[in-house]
Amino acid sequence: MAQRDITDEREYLEDRRAWRERGLSRRELLRAGAAGALLLGAGGVRLPDALAQAPAPPIVKPLPPEWFIPIGTNAEMRWEAMAGQGYLTPAARFFVRNHTATPRIDPRTWRLRVFGSGLRRPEGVELSLRDLHALPSERRVAFIECAGNGRSFFASQQGTPATGSQWGLGAVGVAEWRGVPLGALLDRAGISRRAVDVLPEGLDATVVSNGVDQGHVRRPLPVGKALDDVLVAYEMNGAPLPPDHGAPARLVVPGWVGIASIKWLGRIEVADRPLFSPWNTTQYRMTGGDYPADSPPLTAQQVKSAFELAPGATLPAGRRLVLHGRSWSGATAIRRVDVRIEGDPRGGTRRALLHGPNVPRAWVRWTVDWRPPGPGAYALLARATDRAGTTQPDAVPFNTNGYQFWAVARHPVTVA
Ligand SMILES: Nc1nc2c(c(=O)[nH]1)N[C@H]1C(S)=C(S)[C@@H](COP(=O)(O)O)O[C@H]1N2
Ligand SMILES: [Mo]
């Protein structure tokens, strides 16, 4: 874990510097431009040239270092940023996972096209944001969690590093989403009984990987899930969706891998046959390790837990502590959480007290009391069981892309 911290810190500083050069200073440039100062910096770069060369930063919202760890085009939420927060993750603290970069979309010209062989009239319909707002809406509290959340634990805890963004446990957040049920939208578009798959597609830039353009981010959903509890959301926690989280509209697919919840929705194809994209064929399936070659596309997320503490946090000695955490499951609500403290000779496992809402496919908050026996190094281990009876294991089988690490995670702390 210590290793990971150092790496992250370095990554963080590098990313921050790069972003400042490309992004933040761009805003400063604009301000300088408005003030009429056209000569900039030691190089004396002229403003229009500087602007032409500066690519937009991948994430639009501010990323205060006390809340986020930048990882490439993504930003991980620091779990200590949830300490003292309410049930929902504020949008300003919500993790961001971008395959490319947050696009700026004009809500006045935005259109959502629904079409395909799975509709009675394949040419389908086109909706403006105004059309979408005019349809009956619902509110749904649900987490969005990246399939790769926890990936760094394959290295730090199981000694088998997996490729991809080295997330800790902060690629998850819970929000109240408001929007139109996808089922109602598809009804309106005239979905036929022969429909099999629904393919939502994002308006962000196409993804180029190893020199190959894979097209826009898109991932088919079986029609059963699409008609069940999926929302075409335009609000997050009672405010319009922020740009980084999919404005003006995104899919919210409760309980499923984050990639299902396509942001910046532009098109939805409904087909009378199975559909494929790189995001349900080569990616977001279990590969390597002991998995068979044809493992199915990932769907629901697993059972997980996190403490609202920084890894390696220092806790005060000589008093009773209240440790806070949250647990969640992609299948249902949480039944119980057990916390063990490694290094405490009085050992034992204590049952955490669950507090407040316990929404299926969101999370539950919990606390556990602990009086450290003395100064030293300890590790906190939380193990949740959901209402389907699924319990976090001690270890999980390895997969090459490091998806769905859901074993009990060791959280090191120092008592001083
Ligand atoms: N169009 C589009 N949708 C997308 C993505 C993307 O890069 N482009 N990333 C996906 C992934 S991998 C995740 S985990 C979630 C993250 O949602 P958030 O950034 O709002 O937290 O969005 C999903 N939807
Ligand atoms: Mo993701």
Side-chain angles (χ1 to χ4, degrees), residues 95 97 99 144-149 167 171 257-260 284 403:
F95 86 100
R97 165 74 176 107
H99 281 79
I144 294 207
E145 184 186 24
C146 190
N149 194 27
W167 304 107
V257 284
I259 184 62
Y284 300 100
Y403 296 132

Side-chain angles (χ1 to χ4, degrees), residues 292-326:
D294 57 349
S295 291
L298 293 173
T299 57
Q301 286 290 83
Q302 302 283 6
V303 185
K304 297 217 188 111
S305 304
F307 288 90
E308 295 173 5
L309 285 172
T314 299
L315 305 173
R319 62 172 104 132
R320 188 184 71 97
L321 306 173
V322 182
L323 305 172
H324 292 254
R326 303 183 188 226

Side-chain angles (χ1 to χ4, degrees), residues 73-75 95-99 146 165 167 263-264 283-284:
T73 54
N74 317 298
F95 86 100
V96 181
R97 165 74 176 107
N98 282 347
H99 281 79
C146 190
S165 301
W167 304 107
K263 303 193 276 188
W264 313 297
Q283 297 170 58
Y284 300 100

Side-chain angles (χ1 to χ4, degrees), residues 145-149 151 154 219-222 225 253-261 277-287 291-292 294-302 304 330 397-406:
E145 184 186 24
C146 190
N149 194 27
R151 182 179 286 121
F154 278 105
R219 188 180 198 259
L221 269 177
K225 180 67 174 175
V253 181
W256 281 32
V257 284
I259 184 62
S261 294
S277 85
W279 291 271
N280 75 333
T281 53
T282 55
Q283 297 170 58
Y284 300 100
R285 287 178 183 241
M286 295 302 202
T287 53
Y291 286 98
D294 57 349
S295 291
L298 293 173
T299 57
Q301 286 290 83
Q302 302 283 6
K304 297 217 188 111
F398 175 75
N399 71 93
T400 315
N401 289 312
Y403 296 132
Q404 294 191 330
F405 182 93
W406 64 293

Side-chain angles (χ1 to χ4, degrees), residues 62-86:
L63 298 171
E66 64 275 23
W67 292 351
F68 291 105
I69 304 160
I71 306 180
T73 54
N74 317 298
E76 174 169 2
M77 181 199 72
R78 292 186 185 272
W79 261 97
E80 60 271 35
M82 284 311 291
Q85 294 298 307

Side-chain angles (χ1 to χ4, degrees), residues 110-112 114 125-129 131-132 135 185 188:
W110 178 83
R111 296 289 182 275
L112 175 60
V114 187
V125 297
E126 202 177 74
L127 290 98
S128 66
L129 197 55
D131 297 333
L132 194 65
L135 294 172
L185 196 82
R188 197 187 124 106

